[in-house]
Amino acid sequence: MNIQLENLVSIYHENTPFEHLALNNISAEFKENTYYGIIGHTGSGKSTLIQNLNGLLLPSYGRVRIGDITLKRKTKQRTIHRAKQRVGMVFQFPEHQLFEETVIKDVMFGPKNMGMSDEEAREKSAYYLKLLNIQESLFEKAPFDLSGGQMRKVAIAGILAMEPKMLILDEPTAGLDPLSHIETMQLFQKIQQDMGMTVILVTHDMNDVYEYTEEVKLLNKGNMIRQGKTEALLTNKVLLEQYNLEVPDIVRLTFDLERKGIQLAKTPRDRTEFIKLYREWRDAHAE
Amino acid sequence: MLSKMLLGRYIPGSSVIHHLDPRAKIVCVVLFMIIVFFANHWTGYLLLILFVVSITKMAGLSLIFLFNGLKLILILLVFTFMMHLFFTKGGIVLIDATLFTIESAGVVQGVYITIRLAMLILITTVLTLTTSSVSLTDAIERLCRPLKTLRLPVHEIAMMMSISLRFIPTLMDETEKIIKAQSARGSTFMTGSLKSRMNALTPVFIPLFISAFKRAEELAVAMEVRGYQGEAGRTSYRVLDWQYKDTLAIITVIIFGVFLFMIRQ
């Protein structure tokens, strides 16, 4: 299932003094089984864009195609409801959405809204909770008694249990400690690879974008500036600096080394690759 | 959905109305609230409408924009009109159905009362749209100062007011975020029976209350570490400056009131 945006325009508060053009004529495609990153400075329209991908916002003009569903300015609620099942959305601080008496009930909320029976929803919920390392002993506890990290996992399980075909992550690691940060990002990578899901990551953390995503879309002031392979876009220092985005640490380090005369075979994607390439360089220059 | 709500919002601007002293504006609005009841036939009501419309124009606000923002209040106005339509008796019988009768006095009274209510809502909306919440509470604190002799904690009440006003937009944003998060999980607020819509509110209110309580506690701690202990020894950073035009504004409203009183029938 692909998502296609066709000349998408999004205007907030149309016809009021607060009128604001958030997205200006965006055309883009999100393909199956791919890990995408959406980057851009604050106010570039990232949030607006992802909310258009599952019907939380409807386009002011243009359209969004999600498989065989088309979302337009005046799409019926029932159609939007189906779009929400296909495209799961993990918001920033998802633990703020927990409300049920027990962990398992909270996770079942989404699947049940999508028309699953109680048993089926419970089965799915238990499966995804375990996948996220929430032990069965915690299922009947109140979600508010869990630790912050666990609460976030429960909230994420609540989205996964709806079994969406596409997952949107809005700053999924905001406020996490470094260890949980890595854990969470690796978990999403695993989900993406194991289930062949499309994942769209929206974040300010260029290191994560560089390490985990395959394709990147760069937004600025509501315009789509560039779309392409991650390794091409995120190693383009001039482009990133032009749009006030940080260069990923590993890319910067490689560039710095280059200036000192250490020329790696290519720009590495992560630590392991960096160490490997550095060793190769040392071996080649060993005297 | 909540984005178009105008109640309690402030639109910065540089009109005459914006630049009036907030105390003057409050006094004018209170006077207007009394004046509204002087009108008792159509010329009076016409003058009222004219007065409010011209103030809106002076504040640089468009009527269409105000109307769109106050759509929710329209329900209240329609309800008021209906009540008078059906229950005020007198005059000629216009419609005589088996269940109800509509008489001319009901129609007239309905129109008049609805205009009164609409003008009150409009004028107070203009007040909040042109006055920031900070200066509004400053003004209320100053205007209520005499009550301190009655041992009323005026400063504390004003502080509570300004805090609650300050957090209205924050809570609105929060509500919108939670609504979005829950509707991404398939919760439906717009469709279904009344009961299912009511049920859909639980997943919104529980997280909202939790975060509101957390926020309140954090705010209390933040105020305490910065040494806040009520009014004792506090001076004001913003000084309210009463000018000729403020006196003039009040006099204008009084003259308008007197005029309206004289043309009463």
Side-chain angles (χ1 to χ4, degrees):
Chain A
M1 188 195 73
N2 293 358
I3 293 190
Q4 265 147 353
L5 310 179
E6 292 167 14
N7 306 96
L8 173 65
V9 175
S10 191
I11 303 168
Y12 280 115
H13 310 292
E14 214 174 340
N15 303 324
T16 73
F18 301 106
E19 186 170 294
H20 170 65
L21 177 68
L23 289 177
N24 185 11
N25 203 7
I26 303 269
S27 292
E29 192 179 23
F30 294 93
K31 291 199 194 71
E32 240 166 61
N33 195 8
T34 314
Y35 203 141
Y36 286 94
I38 297 181
I39 57 174
H41 203 59
T42 312
S44 60
K46 298 181 304 248
S47 301
T48 315
L49 182 70
I50 55 171
Q51 286 178 40
N52 270 288
L53 296 181
N54 76 340
L56 278 175
L57 289 176
L58 289 177
S60 304
Y61 303 99
R63 60 177 110 196
V64 177
R65 282 180 203 281
I66 306 167
D68 58 348
I69 301 175
T70 307
L71 298 178
K72 281 189 298 196
R73 190 187 177 104
K74 283 191 175 130
T75 301
K76 288 209 181 82
Q77 282 296 327
R78 194 173 300 165
T79 317
I80 300 173
H81 196 65
R82 277 170 58 214
K84 280 173 184 158
Q85 196 272 319
R86 289 194 184 177
V87 184
M89 171 105 82
V90 177
F91 276 94
Q92 205 170 358
F93 299 108
E95 60 272 26
H96 290 175
Q97 72 188 27
L98 300 175
F99 70 97
E100 272 286 9
E101 295 153 42
T102 66
V103 168
I104 188 96
K105 267 195 192 165
D106 205 290
V107 177
M108 284 163 64
F109 178 69
K112 277 172 71 180
N113 279 334
M114 289 307 160
M116 281 190 210
S117 68
D118 254 33
E119 290 140 57
E120 198 184 350
R122 185 173 288 271
E123 202 177 293
K124 293 256 153 62
S125 304
Y127 173 76
Y128 286 101
L129 279 168
K130 280 182 200 152
L131 188 77
L132 300 189
N133 283 327
I134 300 288
Q135 295 120 25
E136 214 159 339
S137 58
L138 296 176
F139 286 8
E140 297 300 326
K141 279 203 167 181
F144 306 106
D145 291 340
L146 305 181
S147 74
Q150 284 172 323
M151 274 164 80
R152 184 164 298 194
K153 282 182 180 169
V154 171
I156 293 169
I159 307 293
L160 290 176
M162 289 161 60
E163 307 217 295
K165 298 212 166 60
M166 197 176 267
L167 192 62
I168 302 174
L169 312 169
D170 187 2
E171 295 277 2
T173 56
L176 288 183
D177 60 89
L179 193 67
S180 313
H181 180 129
I182 296 171
E183 257 180 41
T184 314
M185 287 315 296
Q186 283 177 345
L187 181 84
F188 285 128
Q189 191 177 34
K190 192 172 166 306
I191 292 170
Q192 196 268 320
Q193 286 165 354
D194 291 0
M195 301 193 194
M197 206 188 260
T198 305
V199 175
I200 300 171
L201 172 70
V202 178
T203 181
H204 285 108
D205 191 327
M206 290 301 135
N207 291 324
D208 282 346
V209 177
Y210 187 65
E211 195 170 336
Y212 297 103
T213 67
E214 297 164 69
E215 300 238 352
V216 166
K217 301 192 188 294
L218 169 58
L219 288 174
N220 186 52
K221 291 185 180 150
N223 292 300
M224 183 68 84
I225 304 292
R226 215 51 99 70
Q227 318 186 39
K229 291 272 174 223
T230 303
E231 61 260 34
L233 256 68
L234 287 206
T235 50
N236 189 339
K237 214 172 145 188
V238 183
L239 179 78
L240 291 178
E241 273 162 9
Q242 186 187 347
Y243 294 104
N244 282 320
L245 294 167
E246 287 197 23
V247 180
D249 287 337
I250 289 185
V251 176
R252 182 169 308 206
L253 182 59
T254 312
F255 284 163
D256 286 349
L257 285 175
E258 219 164 88
R259 230 178 294 140
K260 301 271 182 204
I262 302 173
Q263 181 89 44
L264 303 183
K266 62 179 187 114
T267 316
R269 284 298 287 274
D270 54 31
R271 278 156 212 251
T272 354
E273 198 184 1
F274 176 82
I275 293 168
K276 189 177 139 255
L277 290 171
Y278 178 65
R279 283 213 178 115
E280 281 172 15
W281 181 86
R282 272 199 74 95
D283 290 344
H285 293 74
E287 277 157 41
Chain B
M1 180 169 51
L2 300 171
S3 57
K4 279 194 175 163
M5 280 270 283
L6 276 184
L7 286 177
R9 241 167 125 166
Y10 167 59
I11 304 177
S14 55
S15 71
V16 195
I17 307 287
H18 279 87
H19 284 308
L20 281 179
D21 189 297
R23 286 171 293 181
K25 277 191 266 189
I26 291 178
V27 171
C28 286
V29 167
V30 172
L31 285 174
F32 185 80
M33 283 174 176
I34 301 163
I35 291 170
V36 161
F37 292 96
F38 290 167
N40 66 350
H41 72 128
W42 65 270
T43 38
Y45 285 103
L46 208 65
L47 279 173
L48 274 181
I49 295 175
L50 221 63
F51 183 75
V52 172
V53 168
S54 52
I55 283 184
T56 319
K57 283 280 161 240
M58 273 163 75
L61 299 164
S62 102
L63 281 171
I64 298 164
F65 168 65
L66 274 183
F67 180 76
N68 280 331
L70 294 173
K71 265 183 192 157
L72 275 176
I73 310 283
L74 214 61
I75 303 167
L76 185 73
L77 292 182
V78 171
F79 181 72
T80 315
F81 181 70
M82 290 299 183
M83 289 301 272
H84 282 283
L85 198 62
F86 292 126
F87 296 115
T88 306
K89 301 294 170 204
I92 320 150
V93 177
L94 297 174
I95 298 173
D96 193 2
T98 37
L99 286 173
F100 61 91
T101 55
I102 291 177
E103 297 174 13
S104 63
V107 178
V108 173
Q109 192 70 1
V111 171
Y112 282 176
I113 299 295
T114 312
I115 290 177
R116 265 188 204 169
L117 204 59
M119 291 308 115
L120 280 177
I121 292 164
L122 270 179
I123 204 84
T124 41
T125 309
V126 170
L127 171 71
T128 51
L129 283 177
T130 59
T131 321
S132 71
S133 58
V134 189
S135 45
L136 211 55
T137 44
D138 273 356
I140 290 172
E141 188 177 350
R142 288 296 298 273
L143 287 172
C144 293
R145 199 165 273 177
L147 294 177
K148 242 188 353 210
T149 47
L150 300 174
R151 292 184 166 254
L152 215 68
V154 172
H155 167 80
E156 280 73 13
I157 291 173
M159 179 59 103
M160 271 157 60
M161 270 182 58
S162 69
I163 289 175
S164 13
L165 283 173
R166 153 69 185 76
F167 279 98
I168 288 174
T170 316
L171 284 179
M172 287 275 214
D173 282 353
E174 193 112 353
T175 315
E176 210 163 334
K177 249 187 233 161
I178 295 170
I179 287 180
K180 277 188 174 154
Q182 303 299 25
S183 72
R185 295 166 82 192
S187 197
T188 44
F189 304 94
M190 307 296 216
T191 51
S193 63
L194 190 66
K195 189 169 170 266
S196 77
R197 285 191 211 196
M198 296 281 269
N199 283 336
L201 290 178
T202 323
V204 173
F205 280 129
I206 292 178
L208 193 64
F209 277 124
I210 290 172
S211 82
F213 283 129
K214 257 191 212 151
R215 221 183 270 284
E217 214 165 308
E218 277 163 19
L219 181 71
V221 172
M223 282 168 80
E224 235 176 298
V225 289
R226 281 187 281 173
Y228 180 77
Q229 43 182 338
E231 199 186 7
R234 271 174 81 82
T235 53
S236 188
Y237 168 66
R238 292 171 304 270
V239 181
L240 297 175
D241 181 23
W242 190 276
Q243 290 171 339
Y244 276 129
K245 61 180 182 199
D246 301 314
T247 322
L248 197 69
I250 291 180
I251 290 172
T252 315
V253 174
I254 291 174
I255 290 173
F256 176 70
V258 170
F259 181 68
L260 215 60
F261 192 78
M262 293 206 316
I263 62 164
R264 259 167 81 96
Q265 288 177 351

